[in-house]
Amino acid sequence: MEEKYSISEFIKETQQEDKGQGLFELETPRMLEINLEKEIWAKMGSMVSYRGNIKFEREGVLEHGLGKMFKKAFTGEGSSLMKARGNGKLYLADQGKKISILNLENDSIYVNGNDLLAFEPSLQWDIKLMRKIAGIMSGGLFNVKIEGSGMVAITSHYEPLTLLVKNGMPVYTDPNATVAWSGDLQPEFVTDVSLKTFIGRGSGESVQMKFEGEGFVVVQPFEEVYYSEKS
C-alpha cells in the first residue's frame, strides 16, 4: 500500500511522455503539448510550462491590419493572442477545459472566441462579430473564423457533442453552450419569449442560435457566460 502512493509511483503515473503525434499532442485530455520548431499562436495566459528556447510576444496592435484591430476593439479583449517562437516543448491549458485537436485540410471552421486555444500561423483567421445579437446581449457575440490547412486546438467544458445539420432539419443551440461550427454554416439568432421563465433568464427573452443547411455544430454541456446580458 505504501508503494502505491510513493513519490516514484506518482511520477511514473503522471510524467510527460513523447507520443510521436507531431506538432500538437494531447499530453492529457486537458493539457496540450506543442513540439515547437518555429512559431505558434496561442490564447493569452494559456501557457503553463515550457522547456527549450521559447519567447512569447503579445499580439501586436497592427499586426493583422486595421480592420481586425477595430473589430477587436469592438468585441473587447475577449480573445487576446500571444505568439510563441523558438524551439522546445510548450504546454498549454485553459482552466482545466477539455482540449480537442483538429487538422484542417483546406477547411474552415468557426470557433467561439473563448474556446480557441492555439493554431498554426499557416491558417488564416478573422474575427466575426454577430451584431444582430448586440441589442439583446451586451457587446454582442464574437467568433473566430479559421480556414486553410494546419492544426488548431479548441476547448470545451467537459465532453463536446457534435450535431450534424442537414437540409430541412435545423439545429438550435444555446449561444453559451456553442463551441464551434463548420465554416459553411451561417447561424441566425432567434428568440423565444415563452422559454424565458424556464431556463433561468427571467428578465428578457431566451436567445438561441439556429443553424440551417449542411454541416455540423459543436456544443458543450455547460453554459459559459463570458458576456453580460442587458437588463
Side-chain angles (χ1 to χ4, degrees):
M1 183 63 70
E2 290 181 359
E3 290 182 0
K4 180 178 180 181
Y5 296 111
S6 66
I7 290 177
S8 60
E9 182 67 20
F10 174 78
I11 292 173
K12 180 181 178 181
E13 291 182 1
T14 62
Q15 69 180 343
Q16 178 264 338
E17 295 180 51
D18 284 322
K19 299 179 180 179
Q21 296 173 348
L23 177 64
F24 283 13
E25 293 186 12
L26 281 180
E27 190 61 32
T28 74
R30 303 174 192 280
M31 185 83 70
L32 176 68
E33 177 186 282
I34 298 178
N35 295 297
L36 191 64
E37 294 182 351
K38 294 181 180 179
E39 62 183 34
I40 202 78
W41 283 108
K43 185 175 184 177
M44 182 69 71
S46 62
M47 186 276 288
V48 295
S49 180
Y50 71 90
R51 63 173 64 177
N53 183 21
I54 300 176
K55 301 295 183 183
F56 301 91
E57 301 175 10
R58 186 181 178 90
E59 177 185 9
V61 173
L62 295 176
E63 186 161 356
H64 308 292
L66 285 172
K68 286 184 182 177
M69 183 187 75
F70 289 140
K71 280 186 284 187
K72 193 174 184 69
F74 193 81
T75 59
E77 283 294 314
S79 186
S80 293
L81 298 173
M82 63 180 181
K83 184 178 286 185
R85 286 186 170 136
N87 290 274
K89 289 187 180 294
L90 173 61
Y91 298 93
L92 305 178
D94 186 11
Q95 300 180 25
K97 294 164 68 175
K98 183 176 174 61
I99 300 169
S100 299
I101 298 173
L102 302 173
N103 185 18
L104 303 189
E105 298 179 354
N106 291 319
D107 297 316
S108 63
I109 187 173
Y110 285 91
V111 182
N112 180 306
N114 205 43
D115 298 324
L116 179 61
L117 182 62
F119 60 93
E120 288 191 71
S122 59
L123 292 164
Q124 301 297 311
W125 66 277
D126 195 10
I127 295 171
K128 300 293 184 180
L129 177 67
M130 300 196 168
R131 291 181 174 85
K132 291 182 179 180
I133 201 173
I136 301 171
M137 295 185 175
S138 178
L141 181 67
F142 77 98
N143 300 278
V144 181
K145 184 178 185 182
I146 298 179
E147 54 189 336
S149 297
M151 307 285 281
V152 57
I154 64 176
T155 61
S156 61
H157 284 279
Y158 311 106
E159 303 292 336
L161 173 67
T162 299
L163 303 169
L164 296 181
V165 182
K166 299 181 179 180
N167 284 319
M169 300 177 64
V171 172
Y172 296 83
T173 66
D174 184 326
N176 298 67
T178 305
V179 174
W181 61 90
S182 49
D184 51 354
L185 293 179
Q186 297 293 329
E188 62 176 299
F189 289 91
V190 296
T191 58
D192 189 340
V193 179
S194 66
L195 278 178
K196 67 180 181 180
T197 58
F198 292 99
I199 58 175
R201 298 195 180 113
S203 59
E205 299 169 326
S206 167
V207 181
Q208 296 122 37
M209 298 176 76
K210 179 182 180 182
F211 295 87
E212 289 187 289
E214 291 282 337
F216 65 87
V217 56
V218 183
V219 294
Q220 62 184 4
F222 185 92
E223 290 191 48
E224 189 167 11
V225 180
Y226 54 94
Y227 49 79
S228 300
E229 290 193 32
K230 290 185 175 180
S231 57

